Amino acid sequence: MSGRFHHGAVALLALATTAIAGTPLPPFSWDTTPVYQMFGDVKRLLTDAELSKVSSTSKFHCIEKNHAFQELKAAEKGAAREIARIKSASPGSACLFYLNSAYAYPFLTSTRMFGRDEIPQPQRSFLIDDPKTGQPARRGSVPFFDVLDPAFRAWWAEMAGTYVKETGADGLFVDQMHGFAHLRKPQRKEVQAAQVELMQMAKKAIGADKILLLNNGAHIPALFEVGDAFMFEHYQPEQLEKEAIVADWALMKRVAEAGKSSVWRIGVEVEIDENVSWDDARYEQFSKERLTYHLAVFLIGARPHSYFQYGWGWKLQNGPLVDYPELKKPLGKPLSEFVRPDPAAWTFTRSFEHAEVKVDLEKKKATINWR
């Protein structure tokens, strides 16, 4: 679907488990930009140097869907290993386990059968069929889960609870909230209701003290109620348009007022017009050139327990290991709400203890004056 904290370990652990109105929250500080790290390398575990890097740049992590799959033959083993290593290197960190509620990725022991040509029962019945072929509908080689199937929902929620417990995770990141409603428009309301029920079941399975982070679900009232945290994943150019950003700021405020967390995820790949491989070295340079703007956009709307995720793509090599000096600079608490000096213009400003932020959403330019 990509903060640096200076409190003691005891304080961080308290922040990780203390909730506003009963909602579990990850560690948070305004000392520097609060960063969320989400990464995966299908081939292997982190090296010691990489572990030191990612654990020093954030206290809030998610291990991606296929991490260390080739090395350990099961992604839950990769997640368990890295969660333990991160918590050892940086006590008090919060780490999430990844599950997709729409795509049947075959990287887990419980889902490996979805990588086969012939999928056994009962899992075969958990999938949406292509009406033309009668075979599982797929994106590439990955089949689609059928959220309308009650047996699937029970199986998936139980899997979520099991893996969060077995990996030592502090919660669950759930990708894809749509339930493939666009493929079943006459059943759209049923699909939406089933997706909400699935998330309710997942929350019950992982436990009230665990974080349930939903990707792009904050705008759906019923999902807003069940989620503890929400990612704002900006993966389409239109999601970075000025009107959309202002609407997201308002929604981030609602999330914070409800005592919940948000992750502002920017993937700079949406700004590159040409067809460039995500492994292309030009992405790192481009991400550095665009950091001030995207960081400023985040800071204008940032709230308590808002986190910034930056990079391109979802691999370990797509940003988490890049050194972004601005993210290490002292920030301090916001001194005010953001200001829009001219209601007819798209310029916004905000003051922090150690930074003055100004962004022009029309021109897509910004300045951050650190002090």
Side-chain angles (χ1 to χ4, degrees), residues 103-104 106 113-119 124 127-130 133 135-144 180 183:
Y103 291 98
M113 71 288 298
F114 297 116
R116 304 173 189 169
D117 291 333
E118 295 295 327
I119 300 168
R124 174 65 182 83
L127 304 176
I128 297 174
D129 285 341
D130 184 325
T133 66
Q135 296 300 309
R138 299 175 186 266
R139 182 178 71 176
S141 62
V142 183
F144 302 167
F180 292 106
L183 298 179

PDB file of all heavy atoms in Angstrom, residues 103-104 106 113-119 124 127-130 133 135-144 180 183:
ATOM      1  N   TYR A 103      -7.128  -9.220  -1.135  1.00  0.00           N
ATOM      2  CA  TYR A 103      -6.259 -10.036  -1.990  1.00  0.00           C
ATOM      3  C   TYR A 103      -5.678 -11.208  -1.207  1.00  0.00           C
ATOM      4  O   TYR A 103      -5.146 -11.033  -0.114  1.00  0.00           O
ATOM      5  CB  TYR A 103      -5.130  -9.188  -2.570  1.00  0.00           C
ATOM      6  CG  TYR A 103      -5.620  -8.180  -3.583  1.00  0.00           C
ATOM      7  CD1 TYR A 103      -5.844  -6.851  -3.225  1.00  0.00           C
ATOM      8  CD2 TYR A 103      -5.887  -8.554  -4.898  1.00  0.00           C
ATOM      9  CE1 TYR A 103      -6.304  -5.927  -4.152  1.00  0.00           C
ATOM     10  CE2 TYR A 103      -6.349  -7.639  -5.836  1.00  0.00           C
ATOM     11  CZ  TYR A 103      -6.556  -6.328  -5.457  1.00  0.00           C
ATOM     12  OH  TYR A 103      -7.020  -5.419  -6.383  1.00  0.00           O
ATOM     13  N   ALA A 104      -5.755 -12.391  -1.805  1.00  0.00           N
ATOM     14  CA  ALA A 104      -5.320 -13.623  -1.141  1.00  0.00           C
ATOM     15  C   ALA A 104      -3.839 -13.876  -1.411  1.00  0.00           C
ATOM     16  O   ALA A 104      -3.464 -14.804  -2.139  1.00  0.00           O
ATOM     17  CB  ALA A 104      -6.176 -14.802  -1.613  1.00  0.00           C
ATOM     18  N   PRO A 106      -0.244 -15.318  -1.025  1.00  0.00           N
ATOM     19  CA  PRO A 106       0.089 -16.663  -0.531  1.00  0.00           C
ATOM     20  C   PRO A 106       1.359 -16.732   0.308  1.00  0.00           C
ATOM     21  O   PRO A 106       2.060 -17.746   0.307  1.00  0.00           O
ATOM     22  CB  PRO A 106       0.282 -17.429  -1.846  1.00  0.00           C
ATOM     23  CG  PRO A 106       0.898 -16.424  -2.766  1.00  0.00           C
ATOM     24  CD  PRO A 106       0.262 -15.095  -2.397  1.00  0.00           C
ATOM     25  N   MET A 113      -1.927 -21.873   0.164  1.00  0.00           N
ATOM     26  CA  MET A 113      -2.686 -22.627  -0.834  1.00  0.00           C
ATOM     27  C   MET A 113      -3.216 -21.726  -1.952  1.00  0.00           C
ATOM     28  O   MET A 113      -3.528 -22.190  -3.041  1.00  0.00           O
ATOM     29  CB  MET A 113      -3.843 -23.385  -0.175  1.00  0.00           C
ATOM     30  CG  MET A 113      -4.999 -22.516   0.323  1.00  0.00           C
ATOM     31  SD  MET A 113      -4.588 -21.552   1.797  1.00  0.00           S
ATOM     32  CE  MET A 113      -4.237 -22.876   2.969  1.00  0.00           C
ATOM     33  N   PHE A 114      -3.316 -20.413  -1.703  1.00  0.00           N
ATOM     34  CA  PHE A 114      -3.832 -19.505  -2.725  1.00  0.00           C
ATOM     35  C   PHE A 114      -2.820 -19.252  -3.839  1.00  0.00           C
ATOM     36  O   PHE A 114      -3.147 -18.620  -4.842  1.00  0.00           O
ATOM     37  CB  PHE A 114      -4.266 -18.182  -2.087  1.00  0.00           C
ATOM     38  CG  PHE A 114      -5.392 -18.342  -1.116  1.00  0.00           C
ATOM     39  CD1 PHE A 114      -5.218 -18.047   0.234  1.00  0.00           C
ATOM     40  CD2 PHE A 114      -6.632 -18.802  -1.534  1.00  0.00           C
ATOM     41  CE1 PHE A 114      -6.251 -18.205   1.141  1.00  0.00           C
ATOM     42  CE2 PHE A 114      -7.679 -18.968  -0.629  1.00  0.00           C
ATOM     43  CZ  PHE A 114      -7.481 -18.666   0.712  1.00  0.00           C
ATOM     44  N   GLY A 115      -1.611 -19.755  -3.670  1.00  0.00           N
ATOM     45  CA  GLY A 115      -0.619 -19.667  -4.738  1.00  0.00           C
ATOM     46  C   GLY A 115      -0.650 -20.855  -5.681  1.00  0.00           C
ATOM     47  O   GLY A 115       0.103 -20.885  -6.659  1.00  0.00           O
ATOM     48  N   ARG A 116      -1.518 -21.810  -5.427  1.00  0.00           N
ATOM     49  CA  ARG A 116      -1.591 -23.005  -6.265  1.00  0.00           C
ATOM     50  C   ARG A 116      -2.593 -22.824  -7.397  1.00  0.00           C
ATOM     51  O   ARG A 116      -3.512 -22.006  -7.315  1.00  0.00           O
ATOM     52  CB  ARG A 116      -2.020 -24.215  -5.424  1.00  0.00           C
ATOM     53  CG  ARG A 116      -1.138 -24.497  -4.228  1.00  0.00           C
ATOM     54  CD  ARG A 116      -1.745 -25.597  -3.367  1.00  0.00           C
ATOM     55  NE  ARG A 116      -1.026 -25.756  -2.103  1.00  0.00           N
ATOM     56  CZ  ARG A 116      -1.470 -26.495  -1.087  1.00  0.00           C
ATOM     57  NH1 ARG A 116      -2.627 -27.141  -1.189  1.00  0.00           N
ATOM     58  NH2 ARG A 116      -0.759 -26.584   0.018  1.00  0.00           N
ATOM     59  N   ASP A 117      -2.411 -23.587  -8.458  1.00  0.00           N
ATOM     60  CA  ASP A 117      -3.378 -23.574  -9.564  1.00  0.00           C
ATOM     61  C   ASP A 117      -4.714 -24.161  -9.111  1.00  0.00           C
ATOM     62  O   ASP A 117      -5.785 -23.634  -9.437  1.00  0.00           O
ATOM     63  CB  ASP A 117      -2.840 -24.372 -10.757  1.00  0.00           C
ATOM     64  CG  ASP A 117      -1.655 -23.687 -11.413  1.00  0.00           C
ATOM     65  OD1 ASP A 117      -1.565 -22.451 -11.313  1.00  0.00           O
ATOM     66  OD2 ASP A 117      -0.821 -24.386 -12.008  1.00  0.00           O
ATOM     67  N   GLU A 118      -4.647 -25.253  -8.341  1.00  0.00           N
ATOM     68  CA  GLU A 118      -5.845 -25.876  -7.796  1.00  0.00           C
ATOM     69  C   GLU A 118      -5.894 -25.594  -6.299  1.00  0.00           C
ATOM     70  O   GLU A 118      -5.042 -26.050  -5.539  1.00  0.00           O
ATOM     71  CB  GLU A 118      -5.826 -27.392  -8.059  1.00  0.00           C
ATOM     72  CG  GLU A 118      -5.901 -27.768  -9.532  1.00  0.00           C
ATOM     73  CD  GLU A 118      -7.232 -27.359 -10.165  1.00  0.00           C
ATOM     74  OE1 GLU A 118      -8.257 -27.381  -9.441  1.00  0.00           O
ATOM     75  OE2 GLU A 118      -7.234 -27.020 -11.357  1.00  0.00           O
ATOM     76  N   ILE A 119      -6.878 -24.834  -5.890  1.00  0.00           N
ATOM     77  CA  ILE A 119      -6.985 -24.415  -4.494  1.00  0.00           C
ATOM     78  C   ILE A 119      -7.952 -25.344  -3.771  1.00  0.00           C
ATOM     79  O   ILE A 119      -9.092 -25.532  -4.204  1.00  0.00           O
ATOM     80  CB  ILE A 119      -7.476 -22.961  -4.411  1.00  0.00           C
ATOM     81  CG1 ILE A 119      -6.484 -22.043  -5.145  1.00  0.00           C
ATOM     82  CG2 ILE A 119      -7.642 -22.515  -2.958  1.00  0.00           C
ATOM     83  CD1 ILE A 119      -6.985 -20.650  -5.374  1.00  0.00           C
ATOM     84  N   ARG A 124     -11.080 -22.676  -1.192  1.00  0.00           N
ATOM     85  CA  ARG A 124     -11.552 -22.359  -2.547  1.00  0.00           C
ATOM     86  C   ARG A 124     -12.866 -21.592  -2.508  1.00  0.00           C
ATOM     87  O   ARG A 124     -13.106 -20.688  -3.342  1.00  0.00           O
ATOM     88  CB  ARG A 124     -11.717 -23.669  -3.359  1.00  0.00           C
ATOM     89  CG  ARG A 124     -12.336 -23.499  -4.737  1.00  0.00           C
ATOM     90  CD  ARG A 124     -11.442 -22.675  -5.652  1.00  0.00           C
ATOM     91  NE  ARG A 124     -12.059 -22.473  -6.960  1.00  0.00           N
ATOM     92  CZ  ARG A 124     -12.949 -21.533  -7.250  1.00  0.00           C
ATOM     93  NH1 ARG A 124     -13.360 -20.693  -6.294  1.00  0.00           N
ATOM     94  NH2 ARG A 124     -13.447 -21.413  -8.463  1.00  0.00           N
ATOM     95  N   LEU A 127     -13.229 -17.474  -2.246  1.00  0.00           N
ATOM     96  CA  LEU A 127     -12.777 -16.610  -3.335  1.00  0.00           C
ATOM     97  C   LEU A 127     -13.918 -16.203  -4.261  1.00  0.00           C
ATOM     98  O   LEU A 127     -14.900 -16.933  -4.433  1.00  0.00           O
ATOM     99  CB  LEU A 127     -11.701 -17.327  -4.160  1.00  0.00           C
ATOM    100  CG  LEU A 127     -10.487 -17.830  -3.374  1.00  0.00           C
ATOM    101  CD1 LEU A 127      -9.559 -18.599  -4.294  1.00  0.00           C
ATOM    102  CD2 LEU A 127      -9.747 -16.664  -2.701  1.00  0.00           C
ATOM    103  N   ILE A 128     -13.754 -15.039  -4.874  1.00  0.00           N
ATOM    104  CA  ILE A 128     -14.693 -14.569  -5.898  1.00  0.00           C
ATOM    105  C   ILE A 128     -14.353 -15.236  -7.217  1.00  0.00           C
ATOM    106  O   ILE A 128     -13.195 -15.292  -7.621  1.00  0.00           O
ATOM    107  CB  ILE A 128     -14.600 -13.036  -6.051  1.00  0.00           C
ATOM    108  CG1 ILE A 128     -15.018 -12.342  -4.756  1.00  0.00           C
ATOM    109  CG2 ILE A 128     -15.458 -12.549  -7.211  1.00  0.00           C
ATOM    110  CD1 ILE A 128     -14.809 -10.833  -4.778  1.00  0.00           C
ATOM    111  N   ASP A 129     -15.378 -15.740  -7.909  1.00  0.00           N
ATOM    112  CA  ASP A 129     -15.166 -16.368  -9.209  1.00  0.00           C
ATOM    113  C   ASP A 129     -15.300 -15.356 -10.335  1.00  0.00           C
ATOM    114  O   ASP A 129     -16.110 -14.427 -10.273  1.00  0.00           O
ATOM    115  CB  ASP A 129     -16.178 -17.501  -9.442  1.00  0.00           C
ATOM    116  CG  ASP A 129     -15.835 -18.742  -8.643  1.00  0.00           C
ATOM    117  OD1 ASP A 129     -14.675 -18.863  -8.209  1.00  0.00           O
ATOM    118  OD2 ASP A 129     -16.728 -19.585  -8.448  1.00  0.00           O
ATOM    119  N   ASP A 130     -14.519 -15.569 -11.369  1.00  0.00           N
ATOM    120  CA  ASP A 130     -14.689 -14.821 -12.611  1.00  0.00           C
ATOM    121  C   ASP A 130     -15.923 -15.386 -13.309  1.00  0.00           C
ATOM    122  O   ASP A 130     -15.953 -16.582 -13.630  1.00  0.00           O
ATOM    123  CB  ASP A 130     -13.447 -14.999 -13.491  1.00  0.00           C
ATOM    124  CG  ASP A 130     -13.502 -14.175 -14.760  1.00  0.00           C
ATOM    125  OD1 ASP A 130     -14.609 -14.002 -15.313  1.00  0.00           O
ATOM    126  OD2 ASP A 130     -12.441 -13.726 -15.225  1.00  0.00           O
ATOM    127  N   THR A 133     -15.197 -17.411 -16.608  1.00  0.00           N
ATOM    128  CA  THR A 133     -14.426 -18.654 -16.619  1.00  0.00           C
ATOM    129  C   THR A 133     -14.827 -19.633 -15.527  1.00  0.00           C
ATOM    130  O   THR A 133     -14.531 -20.826 -15.617  1.00  0.00           O
ATOM    131  CB  THR A 133     -12.930 -18.347 -16.451  1.00  0.00           C
ATOM    132  OG1 THR A 133     -12.707 -17.803 -15.136  1.00  0.00           O
ATOM    133  CG2 THR A 133     -12.452 -17.352 -17.498  1.00  0.00           C
ATOM    134  N   GLN A 135     -13.445 -19.697 -12.816  1.00  0.00           N
ATOM    135  CA  GLN A 135     -12.230 -19.837 -12.023  1.00  0.00           C
ATOM    136  C   GLN A 135     -12.066 -18.608 -11.127  1.00  0.00           C
ATOM    137  O   GLN A 135     -12.710 -17.585 -11.333  1.00  0.00           O
ATOM    138  CB  GLN A 135     -11.018 -19.984 -12.951  1.00  0.00           C
ATOM    139  CG  GLN A 135     -11.036 -21.240 -13.801  1.00  0.00           C
ATOM    140  CD  GLN A 135     -11.059 -22.502 -12.955  1.00  0.00           C
ATOM    141  OE1 GLN A 135     -10.240 -22.655 -12.042  1.00  0.00           O
ATOM    142  NE2 GLN A 135     -12.008 -23.393 -13.236  1.00  0.00           N
ATOM    143  N   PRO A 136     -11.192 -18.690 -10.120  1.00  0.00           N
ATOM    144  CA  PRO A 136     -11.009 -17.529  -9.247  1.00  0.00           C
ATOM    145  C   PRO A 136     -10.601 -16.278 -10.031  1.00  0.00           C
ATOM    146  O   PRO A 136      -9.710 -16.333 -10.876  1.00  0.00           O
ATOM    147  CB  PRO A 136      -9.889 -17.978  -8.301  1.00  0.00           C
ATOM    148  CG  PRO A 136      -9.995 -19.466  -8.263  1.00  0.00           C
ATOM    149  CD  PRO A 136     -10.402 -19.855  -9.647  1.00  0.00           C
ATOM    150  N   ALA A 137     -11.268 -15.178  -9.736  1.00  0.00           N
ATOM    151  CA  ALA A 137     -10.860 -13.889 -10.308  1.00  0.00           C
ATOM    152  C   ALA A 137      -9.505 -13.526  -9.711  1.00  0.00           C
ATOM    153  O   ALA A 137      -9.236 -13.787  -8.542  1.00  0.00           O
ATOM    154  CB  ALA A 137     -11.894 -12.825  -9.997  1.00  0.00           C
ATOM    155  N   ARG A 138      -8.647 -12.919 -10.521  1.00  0.00           N
ATOM    156  CA  ARG A 138      -7.293 -12.641 -10.058  1.00  0.00           C
ATOM    157  C   ARG A 138      -6.783 -11.300 -10.572  1.00  0.00           C
ATOM    158  O   ARG A 138      -7.201 -10.840 -11.636  1.00  0.00           O
ATOM    159  CB  ARG A 138      -6.308 -13.731 -10.530  1.00  0.00           C
ATOM    160  CG  ARG A 138      -6.615 -15.138 -10.031  1.00  0.00           C
ATOM    161  CD  ARG A 138      -5.670 -16.159 -10.652  1.00  0.00           C
ATOM    162  NE  ARG A 138      -6.011 -17.529 -10.302  1.00  0.00           N
ATOM    163  CZ  ARG A 138      -5.493 -18.216  -9.291  1.00  0.00           C
ATOM    164  NH1 ARG A 138      -4.588 -17.627  -8.514  1.00  0.00           N
ATOM    165  NH2 ARG A 138      -5.853 -19.457  -9.043  1.00  0.00           N
ATOM    166  N   ARG A 139      -5.857 -10.713  -9.823  1.00  0.00           N
ATOM    167  CA  ARG A 139      -5.013  -9.638 -10.317  1.00  0.00           C
ATOM    168  C   ARG A 139      -3.620 -10.228 -10.430  1.00  0.00           C
ATOM    169  O   ARG A 139      -2.990 -10.554  -9.433  1.00  0.00           O
ATOM    170  CB  ARG A 139      -4.993  -8.451  -9.349  1.00  0.00           C
ATOM    171  CG  ARG A 139      -4.138  -7.279  -9.867  1.00  0.00           C
ATOM    172  CD  ARG A 139      -4.167  -6.104  -8.920  1.00  0.00           C
ATOM    173  NE  ARG A 139      -3.424  -6.380  -7.696  1.00  0.00           N
ATOM    174  CZ  ARG A 139      -3.214  -5.484  -6.723  1.00  0.00           C
ATOM    175  NH1 ARG A 139      -3.718  -4.261  -6.836  1.00  0.00           N
ATOM    176  NH2 ARG A 139      -2.534  -5.808  -5.635  1.00  0.00           N
ATOM    177  N   GLY A 140      -3.180 -10.413 -11.674  1.00  0.00           N
ATOM    178  CA  GLY A 140      -1.969 -11.190 -11.873  1.00  0.00           C
ATOM    179  C   GLY A 140      -2.239 -12.614 -11.452  1.00  0.00           C
ATOM    180  O   GLY A 140      -3.156 -13.268 -11.961  1.00  0.00           O
ATOM    181  N   SER A 141      -1.486 -13.098 -10.475  1.00  0.00           N
ATOM    182  CA  SER A 141      -1.694 -14.465  -9.980  1.00  0.00           C
ATOM    183  C   SER A 141      -2.436 -14.496  -8.651  1.00  0.00           C
ATOM    184  O   SER A 141      -2.675 -15.580  -8.104  1.00  0.00           O
ATOM    185  CB  SER A 141      -0.340 -15.169  -9.809  1.00  0.00           C
ATOM    186  OG  SER A 141       0.456 -14.483  -8.844  1.00  0.00           O
ATOM    187  N   VAL A 142      -2.825 -13.330  -8.131  1.00  0.00           N
ATOM    188  CA  VAL A 142      -3.389 -13.262  -6.778  1.00  0.00           C
ATOM    189  C   VAL A 142      -4.915 -13.289  -6.818  1.00  0.00           C
ATOM    190  O   VAL A 142      -5.548 -12.403  -7.404  1.00  0.00           O
ATOM    191  CB  VAL A 142      -2.919 -11.993  -6.053  1.00  0.00           C
ATOM    192  CG1 VAL A 142      -3.453 -11.970  -4.616  1.00  0.00           C
ATOM    193  CG2 VAL A 142      -1.393 -11.911  -6.044  1.00  0.00           C
ATOM    194  N   PRO A 143      -5.549 -14.282  -6.184  1.00  0.00           N
ATOM    195  CA  PRO A 143      -7.019 -14.366  -6.168  1.00  0.00           C
ATOM    196  C   PRO A 143      -7.645 -13.310  -5.262  1.00  0.00           C
ATOM    197  O   PRO A 143      -6.978 -12.681  -4.445  1.00  0.00           O
ATOM    198  CB  PRO A 143      -7.302 -15.780  -5.631  1.00  0.00           C
ATOM    199  CG  PRO A 143      -5.998 -16.494  -5.651  1.00  0.00           C
ATOM    200  CD  PRO A 143      -4.938 -15.457  -5.533  1.00  0.00           C
ATOM    201  N   PHE A 144      -8.976 -13.152  -5.406  1.00  0.00           N
ATOM    202  CA  PHE A 144      -9.741 -12.170  -4.649  1.00  0.00           C
ATOM    203  C   PHE A 144     -10.559 -12.864  -3.557  1.00  0.00           C
ATOM    204  O   PHE A 144     -11.291 -13.819  -3.838  1.00  0.00           O
ATOM    205  CB  PHE A 144     -10.724 -11.416  -5.551  1.00  0.00           C
ATOM    206  CG  PHE A 144     -10.108 -10.686  -6.698  1.00  0.00           C
ATOM    207  CD1 PHE A 144     -10.908 -10.199  -7.719  1.00  0.00           C
ATOM    208  CD2 PHE A 144      -8.730 -10.470  -6.792  1.00  0.00           C
ATOM    209  CE1 PHE A 144     -10.363  -9.515  -8.797  1.00  0.00           C
ATOM    210  CE2 PHE A 144      -8.165  -9.782  -7.860  1.00  0.00           C
ATOM    211  CZ  PHE A 144      -8.994  -9.301  -8.863  1.00  0.00           C
ATOM    212  N   PHE A 180     -14.129  -5.465  -2.969  1.00  0.00           N
ATOM    213  CA  PHE A 180     -14.452  -5.626  -4.401  1.00  0.00           C
ATOM    214  C   PHE A 180     -15.911  -5.285  -4.696  1.00  0.00           C
ATOM    215  O   PHE A 180     -16.566  -5.907  -5.525  1.00  0.00           O
ATOM    216  CB  PHE A 180     -14.116  -7.035  -4.898  1.00  0.00           C
ATOM    217  CG  PHE A 180     -12.646  -7.316  -4.922  1.00  0.00           C
ATOM    218  CD1 PHE A 180     -12.073  -8.142  -3.974  1.00  0.00           C
ATOM    219  CD2 PHE A 180     -11.823  -6.733  -5.869  1.00  0.00           C
ATOM    220  CE1 PHE A 180     -10.704  -8.395  -3.977  1.00  0.00           C
ATOM    221  CE2 PHE A 180     -10.454  -6.969  -5.867  1.00  0.00           C
ATOM    222  CZ  PHE A 180      -9.894  -7.808  -4.926  1.00  0.00           C
ATOM    223  N   LEU A 183     -16.956  -4.759  -8.288  1.00  0.00           N
ATOM    224  CA  LEU A 183     -17.236  -5.916  -9.137  1.00  0.00           C
ATOM    225  C   LEU A 183     -18.654  -6.438  -8.945  1.00  0.00           C
ATOM    226  O   LEU A 183     -19.128  -7.245  -9.747  1.00  0.00           O
ATOM    227  CB  LEU A 183     -16.251  -7.048  -8.825  1.00  0.00           C
ATOM    228  CG  LEU A 183     -14.767  -6.774  -9.068  1.00  0.00           C
ATOM    229  CD1 LEU A 183     -13.952  -7.998  -8.691  1.00  0.00           C
ATOM    230  CD2 LEU A 183     -14.509  -6.370 -10.514  1.00  0.00           C
TER     231      LEU A 183
END
